[in-house]
Amino acid sequence: KKKVVVGMSGGVDSSVAAVLLNRAIGKNLTCIFVDHGMLRKNEFRNVLHDYECLGLNVIGVDASKKFFSELEGVTDPERKRKIIGKGFIDVFDEEAHKIKDVKWLAQGTIYPDCIESLSITGTVIKSHHNVGGLPEKMNLKLCEPLRLLFKDEVRRVGRELGMPEHLIGRHPFPGPGLAVRILGDITREKVEILQNADDIFIQGLRDWNLYDKVWQAGVILLPVQSVGVMGDERTYERAVALRAVTSTDAMTADWAHLPYEFLAKVSNDIINKVKGVNRVCYDISSKPPATIEWE
């Protein structure tokens, strides 16, 4: 039998594609979930558990050490994306080669990915994580069951397949993960600060019933330090920006008008609980001209 491998990201698109294929070909599908170390807090463990509950045949690979060493000292956004994209391909390739008779690579590519990666004017808006050089390198045929669907349609497919709502309703998350939400070079310490701040923001959105009203949200770690006061001590610590947008397809987006009381609570919680952060800003830019992510 010809086998299929699919790269999982924890996101809606790859999850729906995998469940759909699993329904069709069962054990002939192997899912590979690579942790580059820049996922959200506890996400690797939680998502792996979700996948197992869905009956998927999934291999989880913690490759964070590799990625952190390759990203050391790199500050240019496009270079970060390229290093992570290539690293992902290398790790995936290595795992896929351990499986016999693989002939197909499945991806959760959806229609907006194809549009943003098309070079109509000669400039690509940004290189997309999953429309990459994998199939050529591995000599596999490509299977993209969702490539003509928009995100809302993908979610409808997921619901038809009986997938749990917390997976279907998940906000989009960039392939390179928190690497494009840390401006400047990447270190484990910065990732941990960002994971903790992000966790407070996202959990807060859920607690206040705002999560489903927002298309995408996250925290950005800025390469800025500013003076603050803790007790009666002067501090000189990091600033973070909260980003939350409303959108229907990610092609355009408006900043979300979140309640002041909510922003005040999140800001307080982050400053009090996340060591190393003493200032919180809210990003009120729309797309265009600003993109949803900062890098």
Side-chain angles (χ1 to χ4, degrees):
K1 292 222 169 146
K2 305 287 187 267
K3 303 234 177 98
V4 181
V5 289
V6 60
M8 307 295 276
S9 66
V12 183
D13 307 334
S14 64
S15 302
V16 171
V19 172
L20 193 61
L21 285 161
N22 188 45
R23 201 60 66 87
I25 60 171
K27 287 294 171 214
N28 287 322
L29 175 72
T30 303
C31 308
I32 299 172
F33 183 30
V34 177
D35 180 10
H36 47 39
M38 286 152 284
L39 296 170
R40 291 189 142 123
K41 191 173 180 174
N42 300 328
E43 180 160 39
F44 185 58
R45 198 184 62 217
N46 296 345
V47 171
L48 213 47
H49 177 71
D50 279 339
Y51 287 160
E52 283 161 2
C53 293
L54 284 167
L56 297 176
N57 175 21
V58 60
I59 297 166
V61 189
D62 176 1
S64 53
K65 213 176 187 164
K66 169 188 166 67
F67 284 92
F68 280 115
S69 78
E70 286 176 8
L71 286 164
E72 200 176 324
V74 177
T75 55
D76 177 67
E78 198 58 19
R79 251 195 86 204
K80 284 198 265 191
R81 281 177 177 273
K82 292 243 157 50
I83 288 169
I84 292 170
K86 184 186 176 305
F88 179 85
I89 288 173
D90 292 343
V91 174
F92 188 90
D93 186 37
E94 194 180 315
E95 288 302 319
H97 270 105
K98 298 175 187 171
I99 307 158
K100 285 192 175 64
D101 301 326
V102 174
K103 291 287 179 282
W104 293 84
L105 169 75
Q107 295 192 138
T109 313
I110 65 171
Y111 196 53
D113 295 337
C114 303
I115 298 171
E116 281 203 338
S117 290
L118 270 181
S119 176
I120 298 161
T121 56
T123 57
V124 177
I125 297 174
K126 55 184 181 215
S127 57
H128 264 276
H129 191 60
N130 55 348
V131 192
L134 253 174
E136 298 82 26
K137 177 184 164 85
M138 295 175 64
N139 199 14
L140 298 176
K141 294 195 181 104
L142 198 54
C143 168
E144 297 178 313
L146 312 174
R147 75 172 286 128
L148 295 176
L149 303 183
F150 282 99
K151 186 75 82 177
D152 59 325
E153 297 171 313
V154 173
R155 290 192 164 122
R156 270 167 48 203
V157 172
R159 287 191 183 98
E160 286 292 321
L161 290 166
M163 289 171 65
E165 197 55 43
H166 71 267
L167 266 185
I168 292 171
R170 284 183 70 140
H171 290 170
F173 187 67
L178 301 178
V180 292
R181 294 181 182 173
I182 293 172
L183 275 55
D185 66 324
I186 313 273
T187 64
R188 279 187 187 271
E189 180 225 5
K190 287 183 185 177
V191 170
E192 193 179 332
I193 289 173
L194 187 52
Q195 282 175 332
N196 290 332
D198 179 82
D199 191 52
I200 289 170
F201 185 34
I202 299 299
Q203 195 49 54
L205 287 168
R206 291 189 188 282
D207 294 345
W208 286 60
N209 290 325
L210 295 165
Y211 186 87
D212 293 332
K213 299 186 172 74
V214 168
W215 169 267
Q216 191 168 336
V219 180
I220 319 294
L221 186 65
L222 305 181
V224 167
Q225 287 184 294
S226 70
V227 174
V229 181
M230 271 290 184
D232 47 14
E233 296 284 308
R234 178 180 182 278
T235 61
Y236 192 61
E237 290 177 331
R238 300 180 187 282
V240 297
L242 309 180
R243 182 73 161 136
V245 298
T246 54
S247 178
T248 52
D249 56 12
M251 303 306 274
T252 62
D254 289 316
W255 61 278
H257 295 227
L258 298 173
Y260 287 156
E261 304 76 38
F262 168 74
L263 291 172
K265 171 95 172 77
V266 166
S267 169
N268 267 336
D269 284 352
I270 289 175
I271 291 168
N272 289 325
K273 293 175 184 169
V274 182
K275 197 171 156 26
V277 176
N278 69 354
R279 195 173 293 266
V280 175
C281 315
Y282 189 48
D283 178 354
I284 54 169
S285 336
S286 293
K287 175 185 178 176
T291 50
I292 296 176
E293 298 297 339
W294 279 42
E295 287 196 341

